[in-house]
Amino acid sequence: MNIQPLAHHGAARPLAGRVALVTGSTSGIGLGIARALAGAGAHIVLNGLGDPAEIEATRADLAADAGVEVAYDGANLIDPAGAVMMVGNALARFGRLDILVNNAGIQFVSPIEDFPAERWDAIIALNLSSAFHAIRTAFGPMKAAGWGRIINVASAHGLVASPFKSAYVAAKHGIVGLTKTVALEGARFGITCNAICPGYVWTPLVEGQIEDTARARGISREAVIETVLLAAQPSKKFATVEELGALAVFLATDAGASITGTALPVDGGWVAQ
Ligand code: NAD
């Protein structure tokens, strides 16, 4: 179906009529960003893995709560063809793609000498290459429309490193570089590209890391939270998915038109140190 463009471009629903695709939005930060964009009036394409019945319930709830169209695409983004088809499906369904949020990501924590090569390949494929394939496919239509917003969910680990996260830190630094390049290529076409760099946010991904880090360092779960995770975060608070959603909405509105090529920390002061 073709969605009517920008019917109610007011302050309360500043993204009304826009279409946003958020990768990895069946849980955590991606779902928080999808909720915020939907709340601002954008139609949404959800993506991610998970239980089909739970995903359908999430999709239907979001559509009912926000009063927007919500589609779901189950593309596995480890596969480059998945990203290309997902963007194509969004364009075919809605006739436009205004906002692309590359958020899907996985983590693996291990000393480098034990780091499994297949985990390295999977993390680079999902956390970095899938964004390239999605952007590459969406860019032409955004250029033709003269408007686009690309938001890459990087990490504080896109700006600084921690031990035992070689693949993740490499992928996140990579996506910050990709962000800058895409910003330069989009600058004359009304397309912005920015990276959001969260510190620790309480999501299923972090929950999994607590166990892995405890094993890698030989310490308890509580010690990981206090002395490893929030040790780096001067606020001593997890960032929230709502804060990240609000930032994504801001970047996607007209107020964000001149913000491009940035890597914005949302980390309670972590990378200021
Ligand atoms: P999460 O595990 O809650 O969500 C990850 C999402 O990615 C899920 O929807 C999952 O289904 C999807 N996904 C996983 N493998 C996929 C695949 N092969 N194809 C398509 N989708 C797939 O994680 P999260 O914490 O919400 O993380 C989201 C993003 O935020 C990631 O890029 C992560 O690196 C980044 N991030 C998270 C934190 C944090 O503290 N949680 C901090 C900084 C950056």
Side-chain angles (χ1 to χ4, degrees):
M1 74 185 283
N2 276 358
I3 294 295
Q4 287 302 306
L6 311 182
H8 307 287
H9 199 53
R13 308 268 283 177
L15 302 179
R18 300 286 187 202
V19 174
L21 165 56
V22 185
T23 72
S25 49
T26 52
S27 96
I29 293 170
L31 182 54
I33 290 176
R35 278 194 204 291
L37 293 172
H43 304 293
I44 302 291
V45 180
L46 296 173
N47 158 261
L49 311 179
D51 174 62
E54 278 176 30
I55 293 172
E56 173 51 24
T58 302
R59 189 205 65 73
D61 282 354
L62 187 53
D65 286 353
V68 297
E69 293 276 323
V70 181
Y72 166 67
D73 191 311
N76 184 337
L77 300 180
I78 295 264
D79 176 7
V84 173
M85 277 170 52
M86 174 188 67
V87 171
N89 289 341
L91 287 162
R93 169 161 180 160
F94 290 103
R96 57 190 299 152
L97 179 57
D98 304 290
I99 302 162
L100 170 64
V101 182
N102 293 300
N103 165 80
I106 48 175
Q107 173 64 286
F108 192 82
V109 179
S110 163
I112 195 158
E113 68 269 32
D114 301 325
F115 208 98
E118 62 275 15
R119 294 315 302 167
W120 168 277
D121 289 344
I123 289 171
I124 299 298
L126 184 63
N127 297 17
L128 177 58
S129 299
S130 77
F132 162 75
H133 294 294
I135 293 168
R136 182 173 180 271
T137 311
F139 210 69
M142 284 182 177
K143 258 168 119 170
W147 199 95
R149 293 287 189 271
I150 300 168
I151 299 170
N152 297 320
V153 178
S155 168
H157 281 127
L159 302 169
V160 295
S162 297
F164 310 128
K165 297 183 179 176
S166 52
Y168 188 86
V169 169
K172 294 301 188 181
H173 275 67
I175 205 164
V176 169
L178 175 66
T179 299
K180 292 177 186 173
T181 303
V182 172
L184 296 180
E185 293 189 31
R188 297 291 294 272
F189 300 98
I191 303 169
T192 70
C193 182
N194 292 284
I196 295 179
C197 297
Y200 281 101
V201 186
W202 190 261
T203 66
L205 180 142
V206 166
E207 183 56 38
Q209 261 184 80
I210 293 172
E211 301 302 329
D212 290 346
T213 306
R215 238 189 336 273
R217 295 186 181 234
I219 56 177
S220 73
R221 189 189 150 76
E222 292 65 36
V224 169
I225 293 173
E226 278 187 41
T227 65
V228 182
L229 298 192
L230 295 184
Q233 209 144 297
S235 62
K236 299 297 172 199
K237 285 185 190 149
F238 286 98
T240 68
V241 300
E242 289 77 15
E243 290 163 359
L244 297 167
L247 177 56
V249 168
F250 181 80
L251 291 172
T253 62
D254 291 341
S258 299
I259 303 175
T260 196
T262 68
L264 294 161
V266 184
D267 66 358
W270 176 349
V271 304
Q273 298 169 99

